[in-house]
Amino acid sequence: ISAETPVSRRYQIYALGSLAEAYRKSGNLEEAEICYHCILTHSKSRALIAWESHALLGLAMINFMRMNNEESVKLANEALSQYEKIKHAWGIMNAKTILLLNTSMTHADIAAEADLCRAEAIAFAYQYNADKFEELKDKGTIDYFQLFFLSF
């Protein structure tokens, strides 16, 4: 599958998401961005709100990696709003992670917010996110943030 592959089934969106995340993890942000935009287009046309939001999160992370924090925050907030509408706990937690990661770049004191988010992550049994909030609080950054809905 590639970004040029016609997407006719939900599974293909998932596969394209896995490809996008692999590209992002390897640093090939251009290819990852193409894939995420493809996911966004196909999920919007099928009213797949969760997948639309997942694509927005991927694009938010790409913009963060490019140090385009304003766009990253905009995309993460858009995803958060959609996740909240459908009560998608995993998405809410990950959007908050990306937003706090962006806030940390302004050198703002994020300790209290990181603690609140960590407690919420623990309540949902999202240990990976809880660990990332702790890392963010301790180091002021996260070495790498994996979007697990799109991993192999």
Side-chain angles (χ1 to χ4, degrees):
I1 191 161
S2 71
E4 294 77 35
T5 303
V7 176
S8 60
R9 294 183 308 204
R10 191 179 193 144
Y11 178 77
Q12 289 173 310
I13 293 174
Y14 178 86
L16 194 55
S18 293
L19 181 62
E21 189 60 5
Y23 279 136
R24 186 179 75 83
K25 189 170 187 170
S26 69
N28 190 340
L29 301 182
E30 291 80 20
E31 289 297 321
E33 185 175 35
I34 290 167
C35 291
Y36 284 126
H37 278 293
C38 185
I39 295 165
L40 193 60
T41 298
H42 292 291
S43 58
K44 278 185 176 185
S45 71
R46 291 169 175 75
L48 300 172
I49 296 169
W51 274 103
E52 181 181 340
S53 303
H54 297 344
L56 291 169
L57 278 187
L59 291 168
M61 280 307 301
I62 288 171
N63 277 281
F64 176 79
M65 293 170 78
R66 289 178 173 159
M67 302 173 96
N68 185 355
N69 298 87
E70 187 176 319
E71 184 67 11
S72 179
V73 167
K74 178 181 153 241
L75 291 163
N77 273 321
E78 188 176 345
L80 178 60
S81 175
Q82 290 182 352
Y83 284 133
E84 287 174 336
K85 286 178 190 171
I86 62 173
K87 297 177 177 31
H88 194 293
W90 180 93
I92 292 167
M93 191 58 45
N94 283 282
K96 286 182 177 182
T97 305
I98 294 170
L99 289 167
L100 196 57
L101 185 57
N102 275 285
T103 300
S104 74
M105 299 307 290
T106 67
H107 304 291
D109 184 5
I110 61 165
E113 183 67 20
D115 284 339
L116 287 172
C117 289
R118 185 174 188 281
E120 189 177 356
I122 290 169
F124 282 112
Y126 293 139
Q127 190 59 50
Y128 176 81
N129 293 84
D131 292 344
K132 290 301 174 180
F133 285 123
E134 189 68 24
E135 181 181 352
L136 193 51
K137 178 182 163 188
D138 291 346
K139 294 171 52 177
T141 191
I142 295 174
D143 291 329
Y144 184 79
F145 185 58
Q146 177 74 39
L147 298 174
F148 282 107
F149 63 87
L150 299 175
S151 61
F152 298 94

